[in-house]
Structures are given as structure tokens and as C-alpha cells.
Amino acid sequence: MNYGKLKEYHLSGRKLFLQFAEQEAWIEAVTPEIINVFCGLDEPEHRSKAIEGDKTLPVEIRVEEKEDGLWMDTGNVRVRICDDFYVDFYDSEGREVCADYRGKRAPLERISEEHRKLLLSEGHARQEEKKNAFEVLKKLQGTEHFYGLGDKTGFLDKRHYEYEMWNTDDPSPHTDCYKALYKSIPFFITLTDTHVYGIFADNTCKGYFNMGQESEDYYWFGFEGGNLDYYYIAGDSMADVLSRYTALTGTCPLPQRWALGYHQSRWGYMNQEDVEYIADGMRDHDIPCDSIHLDIDYMQDYKVFTWNEGRYHGDAKACLERLAERGFKPVVINDPGVKKEAGYSIYEEGVENGYFAKTPEGDTYINAVWPGDAAFPDFGNPQVRAWWGRRQQFLLNQGVRGIWNDMNEPASFNGPLPDDVVFTDEDRESTHAKMHNVYGHLMAKAAYEGLKKLDGRRPFVITRACYAGSQKYALCWTGDNNSLWAHIQMAIPQLCNLGLSGMPFAGTDVGGFDSDTTPELLARWVQVGCFSPFFRNHSAMGTRRQEPWQFGPEILNIYRKYVKLRYRLIPYIYDLFYEEEKTGAPVMRPLVFHYEKDETARTCNDEFMLGSRILAAPVVMPGMTKRMVYLPEGTWYDYWTGEKTEGPAWMVKDAPLDTCPIYVKAGSIIPVMEEQSFVGEKPADTLILEVYPGAGSWEHYLDNGEDFAYRDGAYHQYHFTTDEDGRVTGSIVHAGYEKPYETIVARRHRSGQAPVTEQIRCERM
């Protein structure tokens, strides 16, 4: 892209308008720390799907023309603009943080067309270099670590990797070389030895992110279409950067409390008997469980918003009511493909009202999905979203408590949707090339808004495909993983990077979706799932069944142990979600989030934090009964033994099959609850605080766990502090919930000694 020399400029409000010889552009200070770089290559204004509403904050801007360029200063960020629209970012003290690379790309050596054909003849495909509408090259200083970019494959640090932004349903076993999966979140955080910053490239077209894979001098990102439209986000820490990114794109709303419990699923629960078998198994084997998920087989001929009543004795509603009486909240899958069938009301309504995507000639576009030939709702049209949202009433009437959106990349069986399929972008015509990456995002928005309006409770919506900002409407899972040790290893960096991408409510299919799990793999995976924000066991039809009792008493006991631990920790996890809604801080965090200067933490792939107080170091290799554990700076207590260790330190930890090494930081106050089979089985009238010696504090949050009354003040907030000896004091900083705790008990842990229990009194501040 050629911009030429900077000819003119003028400041209007918070925007610095730039006239180059070949292009017009602007730099906008959205806040003193967030700078938008924009050039309308495709259209003159923003068309963001991620950012809703006015996100600007007051800012004072100074503009000065110097010999080395045009300078824009917000007080917190200094921006230098040069000819050819080179844009460099500096901190408030004038130190370079993120600068454009002045040279040209030097792609890695590729092969001739003759050799490409030779490789193809043996099945070795090589992707051709794409011509992008634009590319942004940023200089590498040499100490960069990159985090985020959604649920990409590989390890935590994305340095030396390349990825694509194109939501892709590929059920093959995912390995490090996969460039695209189900989500396109074009946001990353860069950490160097001296600075941290974020870049959010708000473009829904197919994009490419090369994080120093082709050169040690630069990294780059580019898109096949759309505008040059990216946000530079400054901060003093990764937490600052993520908080500002989620201030732009939104945070995940506080979920219903039951959603933090255990979920059991399988593609293959065919009928009422199968579902009741699972419900009986959970309760009979004393496995706490809050939700059973129904895959596509509950539908009539795989048609959305239908129920195969023949498989539910003609009364599915009664079946779901019985489940609810036992504490189960049914969640059902919902795909976008609408079966092409005369007399099917959803299809006929959609055709009559023009609610489906169309061919360039104006006909309803048809491809095949589970029901066969199917049409695709045009979710970019607000009327279609409202229509789809209203249709959730059918499922609510049956007793459904959550919607699981699948196949919404959109996936299709007869080849991918062509780029020129016609969609709507709110108030105008668009194409699949521009709307593909936000199709799942907009479907989730339709379901969320429909459920919120119809039901009143906090919507429980799962989505497979995402874009930046999808966290406002849905939680997600990482899609069709496999029962492979490589995939339990990948689960930790995947979930941590999703959290660093603004998607905090996420999980993997515990045990693996495809292939056959093993007893050892399932036992180790539940130890990861126990601490994952979304905790669901899910597997594919035709694979070995992996309910907790399928592998004998040893695995059952291990499974029960970690599901019960999860339920004990729900008050703590709920607090983390309350913090997340306010600040954007993820629930599951890589060590580097809290220990940025720690070189080991920066590339730690097999340990993680649950919040700021608990560190988990699962075993993710077969046959291992010991593992190396790294503890960052500070004092740590072994959760199982109470042993005290000073970090930073490496140690060899015994980890037999029933043991996941867990550590709690000194000064921690961990709110927990009594044992129960599902959330709400027992009254929430007693709070237990697990207290570890050391000075510390904790904000604990309590509400009804179900609706949005908390946003109007219907909640209690407690403030607890502890001293070096673990003595606890408490106070109530907000009193708005009608059912506060009747009893608060502190269990003071002491190294090598039994805990001491004492009751805590809390007075209103």
C-alpha cells in the first residue's frame, strides 16, 4: 500500500486527520491509552462488530511537527506519524514501544510451481502466498513474547508462529501447524523486557498474523480486504492492557451460578432412556452435576426448533421437568442450518421474509449440513436476529435452560460457502467474505438477546465460532478436540490465551471429543477441567464412552474427587467472574499474567493460575507419577499437605494418578461451600473461608446467582483481611441481597498442623 508524503493535517476533537499524497487517514485518541489507526481503504468509516457504543474517554491532545515526523501526544502515549503512514508508539517518557518496520517483507524461501506440483503428487500441500489488501509490519526488538489471538494451536507464547483469521471447522486432530480453528480474535498482547502493549486489528475479512515466523526483524499482520483499522493499547501491565481491550469490546456478564458446575454431554444420547441413565448415574455414583447436554439427536430430523417426541415418549417437557426436579439444567444444541423442506415453518418463514443468505442472483443460498439441504439465516440483519431470538421460546417451553450454538463458522458439507454469497451488514448488503468471521458472533448475539428478553435470567449461550467481543453474549469451548495427550497439553495454553483474548468463560471437551480416551488420560483431564472456567465432559458418537463410571472404581473415585473439589471452589470462581465483569481479568490465567518479569513464567505451558491465589500444575504426560513444578516468587502452601515453599523455586513433586499438584499463595482467603450434588441443593446460608497465613485480603460477592438484579444493587459484598498469623476480620461493604449468610466460618491453615476453625462476624461498614 502506497501512501506517499504527508501533505496536510489537522486536529478535530480527538482525531488527527492526515492527507497523504495517495491516501487519507486518521489517528484517533479513543482514550489517553488507546489509539486508533485508520485508513478507509474499503469504506470511509468504522463498521465494528466488536465495539458497541461510545468508548471514548476525555483526553487532551498536543500535536507538534518536528524534523523526524508529526507527533501526537495524549500525555500517556506519544505517536509519531511519518511519510507513507508509518506510525510509531512511544511511552510518556519518550521511549520507543512499538514502531513500524521501514523495510520490506522478506518471506521465507518458497518453492517453484514445478516443485509444488511434485509435492502435491505425494500429498504434500503447500499454501500459496496470498495478496493482501494491506499489511502492517512492526519492528521486533528481540525480547517480544506474544499472547492472545484466541484459541490457536501451539504453545502459550506465539512468537515464531503464524496464524490465519478465518473461522474453520476442521475435525482432524489439531497440531501446532494448524493456522486457523473455530475463532477469529485479532487481538494480541506483546510483552518485552521493558514494555507491554496490545494491538486489536478490527477487521472481519480473512487475516494473517505472522509473529516473527518469517523474520527476526519484524512481525506483521494483514487482511485480504476491509479497512486498515487497528487499535494500539498501552498499559503498565498485561492486566492494564486486557482491561482496556475489554473496555472496548465488552466483558463477559456474570454467569448463572449453576453454569460453573459440572456438565455431562455426548453426541449419542439418543432418547429419554439415555438421558435418564446419565442422570441416574450421576446421582447414584455421587458425582455432582448441574447440566446434561443434548446433541443433535433430540431434534426431529435435525431440524432446529423441533423435538423428536417419539424418542421422549411423546412428552419431552415432562422428561425435562423431572430432570429439573433432580437439579439438572438441560442444555440443547442449536445449529444455524435450516432444513429446506416444504411445510417446515422455520424454513418457510425465512424464505417468505428474506431471512436467509442469498446467491448473487438473489435466490436463497443452499448448502448441506446435518438435516441435508439447508439455508443459512442472515444474522447480520437485525430483523433476523430478533426472529431467531423469539424462536428460542420453543426450547424454553420444553424446560431448556441453555443454548449450545454449533456449526456456526458457518460449517457446511458441500464445500465452503463461496465468498460472494450475499449477507447483510446491519443496514446494507455485504458478502460472505466479510461476514464469515462474525457469523457465529452474531448468532450468539441473537440467542443471547432472545433468551434475555424471553426468560429474564442471565442467558446461558455456548458458541463454537467467535469474533472479538463475543464474550458479551456467550461462553465457548475449543471445538472438536481429540482424546490425545497432545490435546490435553494444548488445552492449558489454549484456554489461557482465550482468557487473554477477552474470552474468559471457556473450556475444552474433558476426555477429548473424538478418538478413544484411556483411563489415565480421563483421570488427568478431569484434573485440568476442575479448574477450567467451563467444565464439560463431551465425546463423539462411535468413540469409547467416557462418563465417570465407565472405567472402574479407581477412575471413578478420582473423577469424583475433582468434581467435588470444583463444587467446593464455586464461591471463589464466582468471585473471579464478578471481578472479570468489572475489569476483564480472566478466570484461568497463565503465570505470566501475574509474574511478567519472571522468564520462566513467560513460557510456562503446563501450569496456570485460577485467579491470583491458586496455582495448578496438572500432569499432562502419560505414565508420569512425578513432575517438575515451578513456583513463582512468594510463599506457597501445598493444597494437599500444607507444606510451605518459598518461590521462585523448582521442585520434583509426587503426582500419582489421583493427585494434581495444587498450591495456594500465602495470605489467601479462599471462599468455599459445603458439599452438594448440584448448585442450590442446600441453602447458601454458610460461607467457609480457607485461610492461609500471610497478610492478604479478599472481596467476596453474593447474589441470587440467576438474574440481573445485581446490576440494580441486589447483592452483598464482603471484605475480608488476614494477618501474618491467619487471623481474619470481615466487613460488609455493600448490603443489597435479601438472603445474606447466616454463618461465616474461617479455617486457618498452619504449616504442618491441623486447621483451626473460628466464626467470623461481619458488620456493615
Side-chain angles (χ1 to χ4, degrees):
M1 175 57 62
N2 182 32
Y3 293 90
K5 288 189 173 295
L6 179 61
K7 298 292 189 182
E8 298 178 11
Y9 65 88
H10 72 275
L11 181 67
S12 177
R14 61 182 66 249
K15 281 186 180 180
L16 178 61
F17 289 91
L18 307 163
Q19 180 63 62
F20 294 92
E22 304 294 334
Q23 294 284 348
E24 294 180 352
W26 78 58
I27 305 285
E28 179 181 11
V30 180
T31 75
E33 301 83 17
I34 302 176
I35 309 299
N36 178 222
V37 178
F38 184 89
C39 181
L41 303 174
D42 186 59
E43 51 193 305
E45 298 290 338
H46 295 288
R47 299 283 296 193
S48 182
K49 297 295 175 293
I51 303 171
E52 299 183 17
D54 183 4
K55 303 298 184 178
T56 60
L57 294 175
V59 58
E60 293 184 6
I61 300 171
R62 291 187 296 110
V63 177
E64 185 178 3
E65 191 170 0
K66 297 183 179 181
E67 289 186 4
D68 61 349
L70 181 65
W71 288 82
M72 176 181 179
D73 192 341
T74 71
N76 290 5
V77 177
R78 300 182 67 195
V79 187
R80 181 175 66 169
I81 304 102
C82 300
D83 293 342
D84 285 318
F85 203 21
Y86 288 119
V87 183
D88 307 323
F89 299 95
Y90 297 76
D91 66 17
S92 60
E93 298 178 6
R95 296 175 297 181
E96 181 181 290
V97 181
C98 171
D100 275 349
Y101 180 69
R102 267 45 175 188
K104 294 185 178 181
R105 275 189 59 201
L108 298 174
E109 184 179 354
R110 299 301 183 189
I111 58 176
S112 67
E113 186 60 31
E114 177 184 355
H115 284 96
R116 182 186 303 280
K117 291 178 181 178
L118 185 63
L119 285 169
L120 285 172
S121 68
E122 268 200 319
H124 298 285
R126 289 291 185 272
Q127 194 170 35
E128 295 183 46
E129 183 80 12
K130 297 285 186 179
K131 182 172 178 58
N132 293 316
F134 67 88
E135 294 171 349
V136 175
L137 279 65
K138 292 291 185 182
K139 183 167 62 174
L140 281 170
Q141 298 175 359
T143 63
E144 285 85 356
H145 300 270
F146 298 112
Y147 308 100
L149 295 174
D151 68 342
K152 301 305 187 214
T153 61
F155 299 101
L156 180 69
D157 182 2
K158 299 309 183 188
R159 178 73 185 270
H160 296 125
Y161 284 83
E162 61 174 338
Y163 298 101
E164 296 175 3
M165 295 294 167
W166 189 251
N167 291 352
T168 301
D169 172 28
D170 185 344
S172 304
H174 307 139
T175 58
D176 296 3
C177 64
Y178 273 65
K179 295 179 174 61
L181 291 180
Y182 306 94
K183 300 163 189 66
S184 294
I185 304 179
F187 167 72
F188 61 89
I189 298 173
T190 304
L191 177 67
T192 73
D193 285 347
T194 57
H195 292 94
V196 60
Y197 65 89
I199 288 181
F200 169 40
D202 194 4
N203 187 313
T204 64
C205 295
K206 189 171 187 178
Y208 303 86
F209 284 70
N210 190 297
M211 314 311 288
Q213 179 262 357
E214 76 177 22
S215 173
E216 294 297 323
D217 297 324
Y218 61 84
Y219 69 90
W220 68 270
F221 57 91
F223 292 84
E224 293 184 2
N227 289 332
L228 170 65
D229 187 3
Y230 74 87
Y231 295 80
Y232 169 84
I233 305 172
D236 293 329
S237 66
M238 294 176 71
D240 283 347
V241 171
L242 185 56
S243 180
R244 288 165 184 154
Y245 167 73
T246 54
L248 275 181
T249 62
T251 58
C252 172
L254 190 63
Q256 292 190 60
R257 193 178 286 109
W258 67 262
L260 305 182
Y262 175 71
H263 302 244
Q264 182 63 47
S265 181
R266 180 175 171 85
W267 174 25
Y269 295 158
M270 302 293 295
N271 51 41
Q272 179 171 322
E273 285 72 21
D274 287 346
V275 174
E276 290 175 346
Y277 164 74
I278 298 304
D280 290 342
M282 290 296 160
R283 298 296 182 247
D284 292 346
H285 291 98
D286 191 24
I287 305 290
C289 181
D290 263 273
S291 183
I292 297 174
H293 292 216
L294 307 182
D295 212 311
I296 55 177
D297 298 300
Y298 81 90
M299 301 183 213
Q300 181 67 52
D301 302 324
Y302 307 134
K303 295 187 291 187
V304 294
F305 305 119
T306 67
W307 205 288
N308 190 324
E309 291 287 348
R311 294 179 175 175
Y312 286 80
H313 300 184
D315 196 350
K317 183 177 181 180
C319 175
L320 269 56
E321 285 176 349
R322 288 192 295 273
L323 288 177
E325 290 169 359
R326 303 177 68 185
F328 295 102
K329 295 82 178 173
V331 172
V332 299
I333 205 165
N334 206 16
D335 295 340
V338 175
K339 184 175 178 62
K340 179 184 178 181
E341 179 180 271
Y344 173 35
S345 64
I346 306 296
Y347 176 73
E348 293 195 338
E349 278 183 36
V351 171
E352 180 181 352
N353 293 288
Y355 286 165
F356 297 127
K358 296 178 175 60
T359 66
E361 295 74 30
D363 300 320
T364 298
Y365 175 77
I366 301 295
N367 202 317
V369 205
W370 295 114
D373 284 350
F376 294 79
D378 182 6
F379 291 117
N381 183 338
Q383 293 180 335
V384 175
R385 292 199 298 272
W387 168 66
W388 193 263
R390 290 191 301 271
R391 280 292 182 169
Q392 314 295 316
Q393 187 66 64
F394 169 80
L395 299 172
L396 290 173
N397 289 345
Q398 300 293 323
V400 168
R401 292 290 299 275
I403 305 298
W404 165 20
N405 288 345
D406 195 16
M407 304 293 287
N408 56 351
E409 289 70 35
S412 51
F413 292 173
N414 290 338
L417 277 64
D419 285 350
D420 62 356
V421 169
V422 179
F423 285 85
T424 302
D425 182 0
E426 301 301 322
D427 56 359
R428 66 175 188 175
E429 189 175 284
S430 188
T431 64
H432 177 242
K434 292 183 177 180
M435 300 302 290
H436 173 90
N437 279 342
V438 289
Y439 190 79
H441 172 87
L442 295 170
M443 182 184 181
K445 182 177 182 179
Y448 179 90
E449 292 179 341
L451 289 175
K452 185 177 180 182
K453 183 176 181 179
L454 295 169
D455 189 52
R457 292 175 286 203
R458 305 168 202 169
F460 181 84
V461 179
I462 312 172
T463 186
R464 188 168 72 177
C466 295
Y467 183 68
S470 293
Q471 65 269 12
K472 296 188 292 287
Y473 312 119
L475 64 144
C476 69
W477 88 108
T478 57
D480 293 349
N481 62 1
N482 284 69
S483 299
L484 303 172
W485 286 96
H487 280 196
I488 188 177
Q489 294 161 15
M490 191 167 66
I492 295 172
Q494 263 190 314
L495 294 179
C496 285
N497 273 318
L498 275 167
L500 294 178
S501 305
M503 288 291 300
F505 202 176
T508 63
D509 286 342
V510 169
F513 175 71
D514 211 349
S515 308
D516 295 324
T517 197
T518 67
E520 182 188 10
L521 179 58
L522 184 62
R524 291 306 190 185
W525 212 316
V526 75
Q527 295 166 22
V528 175
C530 169
F531 301 102
S532 302
F534 178 43
F535 186 14
R536 181 181 73 164
N537 178 323
H538 181 52
S539 56
M541 181 185 297
T543 65
R544 184 174 184 176
R545 295 187 71 115
Q546 56 190 42
E547 292 85 15
W549 55 86
Q550 299 290 351
F551 297 88
E554 181 187 16
I555 303 304
L556 174 61
N557 289 336
I558 294 171
Y559 210 100
R560 181 188 299 116
K561 173 181 176 179
Y562 286 93
V563 176
K564 287 194 172 188
L565 174 58
R566 169 54 171 248
Y567 274 74
R568 187 165 179 78
L569 290 172
I570 281 177
Y572 174 71
I573 298 171
Y574 197 63
D575 284 345
L576 296 178
F577 271 100
Y578 180 71
E579 176 191 2
E580 179 280 326
E581 183 174 358
K582 290 183 171 297
T583 70
V587 174
M588 182 175 175
R589 306 168 183 177
L591 270 60
V592 68
F593 189 76
H594 289 291
Y595 303 95
E596 293 180 11
K597 302 300 183 183
D598 188 320
E599 289 287 348
T600 300
R602 290 178 175 183
T603 56
C604 183
N605 294 287
D606 60 354
E607 299 179 20
F608 59 92
M609 304 288 294
L610 184 63
S612 62
R613 316 310 296 171
I614 297 176
L615 183 151
V619 172
V620 293
M621 291 287 290
M624 302 296 290
T625 57
K626 296 179 184 291
R627 66 151 291 170
M628 289 290 290
V629 173
Y630 177 72
L631 296 179
E633 181 183 9
T635 302
W636 300 86
Y637 289 89
D638 187 306
Y639 178 82
W640 304 113
T641 68
E643 181 183 358
K644 179 180 176 181
T645 303
E646 295 294 333
W650 282 99
M651 68 182 75
V652 177
K653 177 65 180 173
D654 286 332
L657 189 57
D658 70 340
T659 300
C660 171
I662 305 167
Y663 295 85
V664 183
K665 195 161 191 182
S668 293
I669 304 170
I670 309 294
V672 299
M673 70 181 188
E674 297 177 90
E675 182 176 309
Q676 48 196 286
S677 297
F678 57 90
V679 171
E681 181 187 27
K682 299 176 182 178
D685 54 13
T686 300
L687 177 67
I688 304 167
L689 303 174
E690 301 284 358
V691 183
Y692 292 79
S697 64
W698 188 256
E699 300 290 320
H700 176 63
Y701 175 82
L702 176 69
D703 66 10
N704 65 27
E706 190 167 272
D707 60 27
F708 288 95
Y710 73 97
R711 292 184 175 175
D712 296 321
Y715 65 91
H716 258 53
Q717 188 168 348
Y718 299 83
H719 177 74
F720 298 107
T721 60
T722 180
D723 61 19
E724 292 293 341
D725 294 324
R727 288 185 292 265
V728 179
T729 58
S731 58
I732 301 171
V733 296
H734 179 87
Y737 181 45
E738 60 185 9
K739 297 180 181 178
Y741 296 114
E742 297 176 6
T743 305
I744 299 176
V745 174
R747 297 181 73 245
R748 294 167 52 195
H749 293 259
R750 301 171 296 171
S751 183
Q753 302 179 53
V756 174
T757 301
E758 58 189 20
Q759 193 162 327
I760 304 299
R761 291 180 57 84
C762 290
E763 302 293 340
R764 176 74 186 270
M765 290 184 64

